[in-house]
Amino acid sequence: MPRRLPLRACTALSAAVLIAAWLVLTWGGYVRDLFLPPPGELWDGFMDLLTDGYRNRTLLEHLEASLWRIFAGFVTGAVAGTLLGLAMGYWRAVEAIFTPYIEFLRPLPQLAYLLLLIIWFGIGETSKIILLFLAALPVSAVAARDGVRNVPLQRIHAARSLGASEWQIFRHVILPSALPEIFTGARIAVGVVYGTLIAAEIIAGSSGLGWMILDAGRFLRSDYVFVGIILIGLMGLALNWALVALETRVVHWAGR
Amino acid sequence: MIESRRPYWLLSVVSVVGFFAIWHVITVAQLAPANLLPSMTQVWDAFVDVLHNGYRETTLWQNAAATLGRCLAGFGLAAVTGVPLGLWMGRSPALAASIDWIIQFMRPLPPLSYMVLLILWLGTGDTSKVALLFLAAFPTIAMAATAGVRGVNQQRIHAALACGASPQQVFRHVVLPSCLPTVMTGLRISLAVTFTTVVAAELMTASDGLGWMVFSASHFLRTDIVMLGILILGLLGMALSRALLSLDLWLVHWRGRE
């Protein structure tokens, strides 16, 4: 591919321009450090956070707090949602019963019911994990339902004419066919859960990365805010990569 | 899997009615404290009250208008800039290479994380909120438009060129219709994201809007208004996604018939 190099050069050039603009703006004194910290200060801020932590907790503890909430909320929500979605795809009656709730919950901004959950369960971990559970549930349910719905009927008929029982059809035909869509749903769900968690930590938290940048913003420590945003972005990427890796291992037949 | 002609919508109705019945029984039997779970009549009274008298000097309409206005301003700005840029990126690999890495970095970032920074830069007013919503919607829209242009069947373009179409004509009559379904899907996804984000932003810093109303009511333990707000937000979210879906079906009537 002879065109490969110039395209890379385009990316490098645009990144270089952006970084140069940052350097000129900060070192030239055009903007105050408060609004846009120079690279040196950003690095110092990162080292500070790494060695001293933020507000009596190390950076790792904040990371761990966020990750634990994601894990607990996402796993419970995705498992429950997938089971519900499979049932909804398989039985029309189950679908008819649960569709109103799923359709209501799906476009509902998650943070709106966070406040109700806080009133009911207090401001601690329980309300956050239930929030994430409710955020993941409809996404996973819709993906699993559509996965079951999109199984080619010929496959089911073929299996049935070969004498497979209903359970065998479900286990060996429907589930493998639906699994790629279930995983796509899980990846969307983890994105939703992550975004919701950061928002929840910003609005009602006392630990975690989201809370850290909010608190740093209050004290105008924009270096910490920047480091926090970069870390949040990297963690989002890592979560997505982890799920993609899991997906390629489990659903190795996808696309074939 | 077993198809039959039973009226399944009836089951949906029964399910919703059942939900409200359980809610009613819990409140009538006082199984839950009234300040945690208000009765349906209380929520209805709150609705009538907020509709006529407003909540803390703002009427329900003002709050709904504030939320929708912010949402549509941010989304509109992102659509107006993101679609042309994405189309252009799909045509020009060099431009795509220059911009794509920024979009790829923005996309996994939860919008509320850079809200802190936007407040620092632009203050707590509507400017920072509209900027936030713009940034939340923009990457998805631009990416969808780029993917749409890249996915256009090359044979169609070549056929049109061979028939003597000018590049403008190819763009207008071949590329644009072919990529519109993808663009519309991107717009629908990003409107949902924008609606979620506007409420989160209003919880963080606002003095009107439905998100603010729910947030403020929760401070005073006005659970009736909180539940009312959630119901309105849910219905509004459903209405927004329905509206864009019907626009999609009307505008891209050739979807799925290629």
Side-chain angles (χ1 to χ4, degrees):
Chain A
M1 287 257 281
R3 300 204 52 166
R4 192 118 186 129
L5 202 69
L7 288 186
R8 284 249 176 90
C10 286
T11 307
L13 196 70
S14 90
V17 166
L18 218 69
I19 291 172
W22 177 29
L23 293 181
V24 167
L25 281 176
T26 51
W27 284 348
Y30 294 103
V31 291
R32 289 164 62 193
D33 289 359
L34 181 67
F35 294 118
L36 191 66
E41 202 174 302
L42 211 58
W43 180 251
D44 290 347
F46 177 61
M47 286 326 250
D48 260 13
L49 283 177
L50 215 54
T51 48
D52 299 343
Y54 189 76
R55 296 279 201 113
N56 305 330
R57 282 201 187 83
T58 64
L59 194 58
L60 271 180
E61 279 171 338
H62 283 295
L63 235 135
E64 199 187 299
S66 295
L67 268 178
W68 157 245
R69 290 168 190 153
I70 293 171
F71 183 75
F74 169 70
V75 169
T76 49
V79 168
T82 302
L83 291 177
L84 180 64
L86 288 174
M88 282 168 73
Y90 197 76
W91 290 294
R92 290 283 302 274
V94 178
E95 188 194 356
I97 291 170
F98 286 101
T99 297
Y101 305 108
I102 299 286
E103 290 301 320
F104 181 77
L105 211 53
R106 206 152 58 119
L108 181 68
Q110 294 85 5
L111 272 287
Y113 50 79
L114 171 64
L115 297 168
L116 194 61
L117 293 174
I118 289 177
I119 292 177
W120 284 349
F121 300 104
I123 202 159
E125 296 295 305
T126 321
S127 55
K128 287 197 190 65
I129 289 169
I130 296 177
L131 170 80
L132 300 181
F133 169 84
L134 287 175
L137 184 86
V139 181
S140 298
V142 168
R145 182 195 69 190
D146 292 347
V148 173
R149 196 70 64 64
N150 294 341
V151 176
L153 266 179
Q154 293 102 311
R155 285 195 202 160
I156 295 169
H157 289 319
R160 192 166 286 149
S161 60
L162 291 171
S165 68
E166 284 299 314
W167 167 248
Q168 281 174 325
I169 289 175
F170 184 79
R171 168 74 189 75
H172 295 288
V173 179
I174 294 177
L175 201 58
S177 302
L179 217 47
E181 278 196 56
I182 291 174
F183 264 97
T184 309
R187 268 168 54 198
I188 300 173
V190 91
V192 172
V193 163
Y194 189 53
T196 308
L197 172 76
I198 296 297
E201 284 178 348
I202 284 179
I203 281 150
S206 54
S207 66
L209 288 176
W211 172 79
M212 189 182 92
I213 58 170
L214 176 79
D215 200 62
R218 272 195 196 130
F219 294 99
L220 300 178
R221 286 301 305 261
S222 54
D223 50 342
Y224 287 171
V225 175
F226 266 93
V227 171
I229 291 175
I230 293 170
L231 283 177
I232 287 173
L234 291 178
M235 199 159 102
L237 280 178
L239 280 174
N240 194 37
W241 280 334
L243 265 178
V244 172
L246 187 70
E247 185 178 353
T248 42
R249 277 194 64 136
V250 176
V251 215
H252 47 82
W253 60 88
R256 277 190 269 156
Chain B
M1 287 297 120
I2 305 134
E3 296 291 327
S4 76
R5 298 258 135 237
R6 263 184 291 170
Y8 283 105
W9 62 269
L10 252 177
L11 259 178
S12 300
V13 173
V14 169
S15 155
V16 174
V17 170
F19 172 81
F20 283 106
I22 292 172
W23 180 7
H24 188 67
V25 167
I26 290 177
T27 48
V28 165
Q30 289 177 336
L31 294 174
N35 58 354
L36 294 190
L37 188 71
S39 67
M40 267 186 283
T41 45
Q42 274 172 307
V43 173
W44 177 255
D45 289 345
F47 175 64
V48 173
D49 183 41
V50 171
L51 201 61
H52 290 304
N53 306 325
Y55 176 76
R56 292 181 70 197
E57 330 252 298
T58 52
T59 65
L60 190 61
W61 294 116
Q62 279 170 344
N63 285 325
T67 301
L68 275 180
R70 283 171 192 140
C71 188
L72 294 180
F75 173 73
L77 269 178
V80 166
T81 53
V83 172
L85 185 74
L87 294 177
W88 193 7
M89 278 166 69
R91 299 293 284 170
S92 150
L95 183 74
S98 320
I99 294 181
D100 194 51
W101 66 279
I102 303 175
I103 291 179
Q104 292 306 329
F105 182 76
M106 292 283 297
R107 220 166 43 103
L109 261 185
L112 227 46
S113 65
Y114 43 79
M115 183 64 180
V116 177
L117 208 57
L118 290 173
I119 289 176
L120 212 61
W121 287 345
L122 303 171
T124 52
D126 271 352
T127 324
S128 59
K129 283 187 205 76
V130 172
L132 169 82
L133 299 175
F134 169 78
L135 290 174
F138 184 81
T140 314
I141 296 178
M143 260 185 50
T146 312
V149 173
R150 288 207 180 130
V152 175
N153 192 339
Q154 290 299 315
Q155 282 167 347
R156 285 191 200 162
I157 296 176
H158 290 313
L161 285 174
C163 292
S166 69
Q168 284 85 10
Q169 283 175 323
V170 169
F171 183 77
R172 167 73 189 77
H173 295 287
V174 180
V175 175
L176 212 52
S178 300
C179 70
L180 210 51
T182 322
V183 172
M184 285 306 292
T185 306
L187 287 176
R188 274 168 49 202
I189 296 172
S190 65
L191 183 64
V193 172
T194 317
F195 186 62
T196 312
T197 311
V198 71
V199 173
E202 283 176 352
L203 296 189
M204 212 171 140
T205 156
S207 51
D208 57 357
L210 291 172
W212 166 80
M213 190 180 89
V214 174
F215 187 60
S216 165
S218 81
H219 272 298
F220 298 104
L221 216 63
R222 287 291 305 267
T223 319
D224 47 346
I225 293 182
V226 173
M227 292 186 80
L228 174 70
I230 292 173
L231 280 174
I232 293 175
L233 282 171
L235 295 176
L236 207 57
M238 277 163 85
L240 274 180
S241 69
R242 283 282 158 80
L244 211 56
L245 182 65
S246 30
L247 180 70
D248 185 356
L249 294 177
W250 175 73
L251 202 62
V252 201
H253 48 83
W254 57 88
R255 186 192 274 274
R257 277 187 280 150
E258 302 197 50

